Amino acid sequence: MASKPYSEALIPGAFKWISGLTLFILLAPMVVVILSGLNAGEFLTFPPEGLSLRWIEAFFASDIFLGAYFYSLIIALITMVISLILGTAISLFLIRSTALGRNMIRAVVMAPIMLPGIVIGLALYLFYISSDIGLARTQAGLVIGHVLVTCPYVIGMVSAALVGFDRSLEEAARSLGASRWTTFRKITMPMISPALIAGGVFAFIVSFGQFDVSLFLTPPNNTPLPIALYSSLRYTFEPTAAAAGIFAIALVVVSMVITAKITSLRRLTAATYK
Amino acid sequence: MQGTEESKRLWLLAMPGLTFFLVFFLVPLGALFLISFDKSSTGIVDIRWMFDFSNYERFFTRSIYYEAALRSVGLAALVAVIALLLGYPLAYVIAKTTDPARNTFLMILVLSAMQLDMVIRLFGLMVLLGDNGLINQVLQSAGWDRVPLMYNFFGVVVGLVQFALPFMILSLVGVIQGINPSLEEAARSLGASRWRAFWKVTVPMSMPGILAGLLLVFALAISSYVVPTLMGGWKVIVLPIHIFQQISELAKWQFGASVAVIMFLISITAMLVYQRTSNRLAGGRV
């Protein structure tokens, strides 16, 4: 859209005040977690009694939180790779096929984003147990749940990129003798790479912060970070948990900055939340 | 000939993914529905094919359950309205911010707040709202009494609003930006005050985004488990809490499944209306 220098002058003053309050509600919890994790005191106090790295060190020495952090990282990476592969293939089908029922298939594969995660997790859990396929409370069973709720982000972003895709380059490569796979790798993939990166980052982050789907699916011996933090937060405020939170916040902010650098954030969210 | 070849290849390409969604999404949801109608038997999960409505009867005849459903619906509706009132101004500011760097910065803030694990955000909120939290410290130093800000209904509302705001804002930004600014300017140049131009032009034109945002937030808020458990201190019992208790603590699988189906139906109704409204508006943008 062309820049309209006077459009900002139309913002009513009251809106700026409420926006400030809204930004405070959005961001204050993150600031509190960061400061609590850097607190120098023996207990969690706010405002902090001075800053130190003692709780960061405690986090690195903590089996529970550091273990949970790395477990979440691994789950998120596996989830991201599977979601990217399945999601890109489904997107190609949805956009390029003329098969009947595409709209219905699209509605089904996009649905997990909107449906209650706790119901999806419970349905999978009941399915694992009653079908006796050995996935209940296993890592594979957990990853399956995460792929379900992250794949729609990949599909949303990749299919949006495929809609305006000029296929003449692909046809040129094919007519020069390139195989389908080479054509995809050398032509299609580079052209949709911003969507692939954005979709991958979203899949990663949504899996990393996933609580609802994990609730019924977490293996007994390994706990993802959100579940570990929840268990600790039910009883006490541990500064070590806040230190773990700092590293989670860093991961999310870095991911969003990367996404913002390579693609338009507004187009990206418009593709997913509709 | 080439067309059918191509479409066969595309089917083959999508087959692993589509099979995945069939086996791990549609079939489990179907099983959940079946189990919710199966005869209740503590500890036994297998479908016994003895279907009746007893689980649903139990739900709608015991006040502890149907009151939780009403509480969930009321809570989610309240949160949706508050999120709209707080979210619209920020969405408007983002939509009207033309400087690309500042605009991207605001979007990164909203998206980071949205994507950060809710448990971590609740940690921060609880430190702020606790009996010895920052807000109560400020109140006390001003000579006021402490106010219980969490482990009650108020705390759950604050937590859910914090959870839902980014979704509301993202639903609104695109729609507000799609409104031609010259319409507001025309109203202004014809003598309307800034507020009048806003109420008569901008608000009606952002209605699709407002409706979509309300429904999305409603569906998200009604299904949250962490916020009511951590912020409500087990005093605000909503449907997700019943689901978890029936399954994990009481091993009442069939009844737990029926509570899950009821919550699923409430939120899918909101979602279907949401998709209707956002499809209608998607024609004009993106």
Side-chain angles (χ1 to χ4, degrees):
Chain A
M1 190 185 287
S3 107
K4 300 262 180 194
Y6 36 74
S7 83
E8 282 184 46
L10 283 171
I11 302 173
F15 271 27
K16 291 183 178 159
W17 285 102
I18 303 174
S19 295
L21 173 66
T22 304
L23 275 176
F24 176 80
I25 296 173
L26 284 178
L27 302 176
M30 289 198 227
V31 176
V32 171
V33 169
I34 294 171
L35 290 178
S36 304
L38 295 173
N39 189 1
E42 187 73 32
F43 305 103
L44 199 142
T45 46
F46 199 87
E49 301 164 9
L51 300 179
S52 82
L53 294 178
R54 64 183 289 188
W55 297 112
I56 302 281
E57 285 163 22
F59 165 64
F60 282 117
S62 154
D63 277 346
I64 300 173
F65 291 120
L66 192 68
Y69 192 90
F70 277 110
Y71 189 64
S72 278
L73 271 184
I74 290 167
I75 296 289
L77 284 173
I78 301 173
T79 300
M80 178 184 83
V81 171
I82 300 176
S83 283
L84 273 175
I85 296 170
L86 296 183
T88 306
I90 292 177
S91 306
L92 284 166
F93 168 79
L94 288 175
I95 298 304
R96 296 189 171 173
S97 165
T98 48
L100 288 168
R102 269 172 311 150
N103 287 336
M104 209 154 86
I105 293 176
R106 187 186 162 84
V108 169
V109 296
M110 292 303 284
I113 258 188
M114 308 286 192
L115 295 177
I118 188 169
V119 174
I120 293 177
L122 175 63
L124 271 176
Y125 185 43
L126 291 176
F127 171 67
Y128 291 162
I129 299 180
S130 57
S131 66
D132 219 6
I133 50 174
L135 286 170
R137 300 210 178 263
T138 63
Q139 180 167 325
L142 179 65
V143 168
I144 288 171
H146 281 210
V147 171
L148 269 185
V149 291
T150 57
C151 211
Y153 289 94
V154 177
I155 297 171
M157 289 169 201
V158 173
S159 52
L162 285 171
V163 166
F165 192 91
D166 180 6
R167 295 192 69 182
S168 56
L169 277 172
E170 285 181 350
E171 282 154 22
R174 290 280 293 144
S175 68
L176 291 170
S179 71
R180 285 175 193 279
W181 173 238
T182 311
T183 308
F184 177 77
R185 222 163 27 99
K186 299 274 184 186
I187 308 287
T188 320
M189 224 161 82
M191 286 180 75
I192 59 167
S193 63
L196 288 174
I197 297 172
V201 168
F202 260 68
F204 177 86
I205 282 302
V206 168
S207 164
F208 187 79
Q210 187 58 239
F211 178 91
D212 290 357
V213 171
S214 307
L215 185 62
F216 286 112
L217 301 177
T218 297
N221 46 351
N222 273 315
T223 324
L225 186 65
I227 305 279
L229 289 174
Y230 175 77
S231 310
S232 122
L233 198 50
R234 273 178 72 173
Y235 304 106
T236 170
F237 293 95
E238 276 184 74
T240 322
I246 293 179
F247 287 90
I249 292 170
L251 202 60
V252 170
V253 173
V254 168
S255 304
M256 290 307 127
V257 171
I258 292 172
T259 328
K261 281 252 184 278
I262 54 156
T263 175
S264 150
L265 288 178
R266 191 169 305 120
R267 275 199 48 195
L268 174 153
T269 48
T272 316
Y273 292 100
K274 74 160 196 206
Chain B
M1 207 46 215
Q2 230 199 330
T4 54
E5 164 87 353
E6 162 98 359
S7 100
K8 214 183 283 174
R9 274 177 195 283
L10 285 168
W11 269 113
L12 221 61
L13 182 67
M15 206 35 78
L18 297 181
T19 312
F20 180 88
F21 274 89
L22 176 69
V23 174
F24 294 113
F25 183 55
L26 293 182
V27 170
L29 281 181
L32 182 77
F33 271 82
L34 279 185
I35 291 172
S36 79
F37 284 105
D38 213 355
K39 194 172 168 344
S40 182
S41 46
T42 308
I44 297 173
V45 195
D46 294 341
I47 301 173
R48 299 196 300 163
W49 307 100
M50 293 191 280
F51 300 129
D52 58 20
F53 288 94
S54 56
N55 298 318
Y56 291 92
E57 221 175 279
R58 183 181 157 90
F59 185 93
F60 287 107
T61 48
R62 302 218 177 166
S63 60
I64 170 174
Y65 301 123
Y66 67 74
E67 275 174 11
L70 294 175
R71 190 177 301 120
S72 290
V73 170
L75 185 63
L78 177 67
V79 167
V81 172
I82 297 175
L84 174 66
L85 296 178
L86 287 173
Y88 193 97
L90 182 56
Y92 190 87
V93 168
I94 294 177
K96 298 283 172 186
T97 300
T98 41
D99 176 43
R102 262 203 324 198
N103 191 287
T104 307
F105 177 68
L106 288 171
M107 284 296 278
I108 289 176
L109 289 184
V110 173
L111 279 170
S112 300
M114 174 166 105
Q115 294 300 343
L116 181 65
D117 172 13
M118 192 59 209
V119 182
I120 296 172
R121 292 189 260 160
L122 286 174
F123 189 114
L125 265 188
M126 291 168 87
V127 171
L128 281 177
L129 300 180
D131 281 349
N132 294 311
L134 189 65
I135 292 174
N136 270 318
Q137 282 176 38
V138 172
L139 285 181
Q140 274 189 308
S141 63
W144 297 57
D145 284 337
R146 282 184 195 175
V147 183
L149 297 168
M150 62 175 204
Y151 299 140
N152 54 26
F153 189 79
F154 178 80
V156 178
V157 172
V158 174
L160 286 174
V161 167
Q162 211 283 342
F163 168 57
L165 267 174
F167 296 93
M168 176 62 82
I169 292 165
L170 293 179
S171 301
L172 291 168
V173 169
V175 180
I176 298 175
Q177 195 160 49
I179 302 172
N180 190 340
S182 48
L183 291 173
E184 256 184 67
E185 282 152 26
R188 295 272 283 142
S189 70
L190 291 171
S193 71
R194 204 157 53 172
W195 271 111
R196 202 174 149 75
F198 173 73
W199 280 112
K200 295 287 177 186
V201 177
T202 316
V203 169
M205 294 203 67
S206 30
M207 237 2 165
I210 291 176
L211 277 178
L214 285 173
L215 291 160
L216 178 63
V217 168
F218 176 87
L220 288 166
I222 205 168
S223 59
S224 173
Y225 174 78
V226 252
V227 176
T229 52
L230 289 178
M231 300 299 287
W234 305 102
K235 286 183 208 133
V236 184
I237 305 299
V238 288
L239 289 180
I241 295 182
H242 277 307
I243 296 174
F244 186 77
Q245 281 181 341
Q246 295 297 328
I247 298 290
S248 288
E249 287 160 25
L250 307 170
K252 298 225 182 256
W253 303 88
Q254 293 80 10
F255 184 62
S258 68
V259 182
V261 167
I262 288 164
M263 196 177 84
F264 179 85
L265 291 178
I266 297 173
S267 79
I268 206 170
T269 309
M271 277 310 160
L272 289 177
V273 183
Y274 162 78
Q275 272 171 348
R276 277 273 166 94
T277 41
S278 60
N279 278 348
R280 208 185 311 149
L281 84 125
R285 65 183 176 106
V286 191

